[in-house]
Amino acid sequence: MGKTDELVGVADGTATVVTTPPVRPAVLRPRPRPVAVALVAAAAVGTAVLLLARTGWLDQPAVQAWRTICLAIAVQALPFLLLGTALSGAINAFVPADLFTRVLPKRAALAVPVAGVAGAILPGCECASVPVANSLIRRGVTPAAAFAFLLSAPAINPVVLTATAVAFPGNPAMVAARLLASLATAAVMGWLWLCFGKEKWLRPAVRHTGHQHGHSRWTEFRHGFQYDFLHAGGFLVLGAMAAATFNVAVPRSVLDTFSGSPWLAVPFLAGLAVLLAVCSEADAFVAASLTGFSPMARLAFMVVGPMVDLKLIALQAGTFGRAFALRFSAATTVVAVAASVLVGGALL
């Protein structure tokens, strides 16, 4: 930019030309985005797989099993991720900004359980709840209520409860226990965030929200949908890879060792739910197949899994930041296990 000449008037009617130095715009250095890191990592793994294919290494049974499990987890979660990102884009473009703040109670402590119960309306898994919760926060909903919705939606929706009833025929107590323990966990975590949560832990990805003047609502929907899907898709792939690695690396005999101990069975199945990353619509059938474990331990598997697993932790880290994901996931695991023990001890 060149120098700027200005005319400055003085008292005697004369004018003086003052030359001011140019103002240089600040140089903004691009910061690495989590979605870019995730996509690059996924691309690097895919490239490595293609290179190793020529050596026959991919023909090994363990590698074939890893590849099958990883693909199964990703394909199983993809439809619900599409559902969640579509809902997120629709909320961003079509829903009035103040709708949720008008519907939910004004007091945050009351908004938390209401949002938890509202999770029943989202027929998806945890992959769908993360982008929707992010949109709710962007719309002015208190984070505590949005997090209660995030935890309850994949655990108490009608599809999940119906699958649980089918997996445990003639055992309505298991369905009721899953519903109550999941709702209790979601509400407690929302209240804990109200009491101890800090804004510095929550760093949502920067994006525009709401209808922008001069743009059609369908354009806003498309932009929001594309951003959310690409942002979450890379982390979903990374989470599926981590879960597949555990499935292949840990021998089946380990399950038999822990099933014989009533004190270790509950935390073991809770940890197993985190690592297996089974979709909430299917985890009831996995729990039903673990016949060597107590009903309370299998309840913990179904309560913890939809709220804390590897792919969900990855999605939360990419959406809200690692500081939030690590703290929130650890606290949710503890609360979910405690709720499973209390509710399971009373009903099962």
Side-chain angles (χ1 to χ4, degrees):
M1 297 178 61
K3 296 182 179 181
T4 302
D5 294 333
E6 297 181 357
L7 292 177
V8 180
V10 294
D12 58 359
T14 62
T16 304
V17 178
V18 179
T19 302
T20 58
V23 178
R24 297 182 180 274
V27 178
L28 299 178
R29 296 182 179 180
R31 300 175 63 183
R33 297 181 178 179
V35 62
V37 176
L39 291 176
V40 169
V45 173
T47 302
V49 168
L50 292 176
L51 293 177
L52 290 171
R54 298 181 179 180
T55 65
W57 183 76
L58 291 180
D59 295 331
Q60 299 295 324
V63 179
Q64 291 180 346
W66 181 92
R67 185 174 54 192
T68 301
I69 295 172
C70 181
L71 182 62
I73 293 175
V75 171
Q76 184 184 48
L78 184 60
F80 299 103
L81 180 62
L82 285 169
L83 172 63
T85 51
L87 287 175
S88 174
I91 291 173
N92 180 65
F94 300 108
V95 177
D98 61 343
L99 174 64
F100 299 104
T101 56
R102 287 190 285 108
V103 172
L104 291 174
K106 300 299 182 182
R107 295 184 59 181
L110 295 178
V112 167
V114 172
V117 174
I121 65 176
L122 180 63
C125 71
E126 57 272 21
C127 300
S129 63
V130 173
V132 174
N134 187 33
S135 285
L136 292 177
I137 295 175
R138 297 290 188 176
R139 286 300 195 173
V141 175
T142 176
F147 296 150
F149 178 88
L150 183 152
L151 294 177
S152 66
I156 67 169
N157 68 73
V159 176
V160 170
L161 295 180
T162 301
T164 305
V166 173
F168 293 89
N171 190 3
M174 182 63 79
V175 180
R178 179 173 194 176
L179 172 64
L180 294 177
S182 299
L183 276 177
T185 301
V188 170
M189 285 304 302
W191 288 326
L192 285 177
W193 178 265
L194 280 179
C195 296
F196 305 105
K198 298 180 180 179
E199 290 296 329
K200 66 180 182 180
W201 297 343
L202 186 60
R203 301 184 183 276
V206 177
R207 54 165 287 194
H208 65 279
T209 57
H211 177 60
Q212 306 291 323
H213 294 290
H215 297 272
S216 70
R217 294 188 181 273
W218 285 107
T219 300
E220 295 296 331
F221 169 77
R222 179 171 56 85
H223 289 168
F225 173 79
Q226 289 177 346
Y227 181 91
D228 284 338
F229 181 75
L230 292 176
H231 193 270
F235 291 96
L236 171 63
V237 173
L238 293 181
M241 291 177 179
T245 301
F246 173 83
N247 276 272
V248 173
V250 177
R252 184 73 180 182
S253 59
V254 175
L255 298 178
D256 300 331
T257 302
F258 283 90
S259 62
S261 174
W263 296 104
L264 295 178
V266 171
F268 176 77
L269 281 194
L272 188 66
V274 175
L275 297 173
L276 289 182
V278 181
C279 190
S280 60
E281 276 76 12
D283 62 355
F285 299 98
V286 177
S289 67
L290 301 173
T291 54
F293 290 87
S294 65
M296 185 183 299
R298 288 186 281 177
L299 174 63
F301 180 88
M302 293 186 293
V303 174
V304 173
M307 299 183 177
V308 187
D309 63 34
L310 289 179
K311 67 177 184 294
L312 181 56
I313 294 173
L315 288 171
Q316 289 180 355
T319 303
F320 301 114
R322 288 184 298 176
F324 166 82
L326 294 178
R327 291 177 173 87
F328 193 75
S329 298
T332 302
T333 302
V334 174
V335 173
V337 170
S340 300
V341 172
L342 293 176
V343 175
L347 297 182
L348 301 179

